[in-house]
Amino acid sequence: TFRIGSIWGVVLDCGEDKNDDHPEYGGMADFDSYRAAQTEFLHDVIKHKDEEYAAYDVRYRIAICHVRMDLYKDEYFAKHYREWVKCLNEIGVDVMLNGHEHRRNYLPAGRETDIGTIGYHTVLGGAFEKCDLSGGTKVGNMFGTAFNFKDDKIDVIFTDSNYENLEEHVITCGPANSF
């Protein structure tokens, strides 16, 4: 977890996006245990909420994780991600910043998914306008994402490489949600 003024945040490391027994890992991966340890970490954060996200001066709660958890339907991932979502909802996270998908997108809070209701807004960060992942080619405009924290609101602004605003969303922050 981290604090920057009135911003409280948690960073989760989802490990890789394939099962531990995938040939690419050569029998050396144990992300399943790693995810289980992070589940315990989240439970510990909740136990110590008064020193963490419920501290008197916290106005904004954010989470950061490379992979958007509701992408994974496989029980191998879902068993952990289902619990992570419950914890993040209990914490009252306002917004989750994700990457991995190589696109920009905004998904509102309250989405019903296979792993439960996502009680926080989801922002997929920057990407190239045209990206061929198979060949590693990145062409055209680079999209970026900015968060602006002010007056109990988070402005989410998608920009292009010319600093032009492409899209904006305003998230109103308040007490922990009830998802």
Side-chain angles (χ1 to χ4, degrees):
T1 63
F2 63 91
R3 283 287 303 271
I4 303 172
S6 61
I7 301 167
W8 176 90
V10 60
V11 179
L12 297 170
D13 185 349
C14 53
E16 282 290 340
D17 60 355
K18 295 176 245 350
N19 290 4
D20 288 348
D21 61 358
H22 192 280
E24 185 174 308
Y25 305 137
M28 296 179 10
D30 188 11
F31 293 110
D32 190 55
S33 295
Y34 187 58
R35 289 182 195 99
Q38 287 184 81
T39 301
E40 292 308 310
F41 162 75
L42 285 171
H43 288 290
D44 193 54
V45 167
I46 290 169
K47 284 181 193 169
H48 298 96
K49 68 181 181 180
D50 292 336
E51 295 86 40
E52 292 278 354
Y53 60 90
Y56 78 95
D57 56 343
V58 171
R59 293 172 59 187
Y60 312 98
R61 296 173 189 91
I62 66 171
I64 302 168
C65 186
H66 179 71
V67 171
R68 195 178 96 212
M69 293 172 270
D70 61 309
L71 288 179
Y72 293 88
K73 315 285 187 228
D74 182 329
E75 188 58 26
Y76 173 80
F77 294 98
K79 67 183 177 185
H80 299 297
Y81 293 162
R82 190 177 298 113
E83 190 63 24
W84 288 14
V85 167
K86 284 182 194 173
C87 289
L88 295 172
N89 287 343
E90 184 173 340
I91 288 168
V93 165
D94 298 305
V95 64
M96 165 77 80
L97 177 62
N98 296 122
H100 188 67
E101 296 180 54
H102 303 272
R103 65 189 180 110
R104 65 179 169 87
N105 198 9
Y106 171 86
L107 302 165
R111 295 183 287 111
E112 294 295 331
T113 71
D114 290 344
I115 60 171
T117 302
I118 307 292
Y120 45 82
H121 303 268
T122 303
V123 174
L124 301 173
F128 282 93
E129 189 172 26
K130 297 176 185 167
C131 187
D132 175 8
L133 295 177
S134 62
T137 306
K138 297 173 182 166
V139 181
N141 226 341
M142 176 66 178
F143 300 115
T145 305
F147 285 177
N148 188 13
F149 300 87
K150 186 176 178 186
D151 300 328
D152 292 325
K153 293 181 178 16
I154 303 171
D155 291 330
V156 178
I157 305 163
F158 294 112
T159 62
D160 65 13
S161 54
N162 297 316
Y163 308 105
E164 298 292 326
N165 287 7
L166 303 172
E167 187 177 337
E168 186 170 346
H169 302 274
V170 177
I171 299 168
T172 301
C173 303
N177 61 46
S178 59
F179 289 97

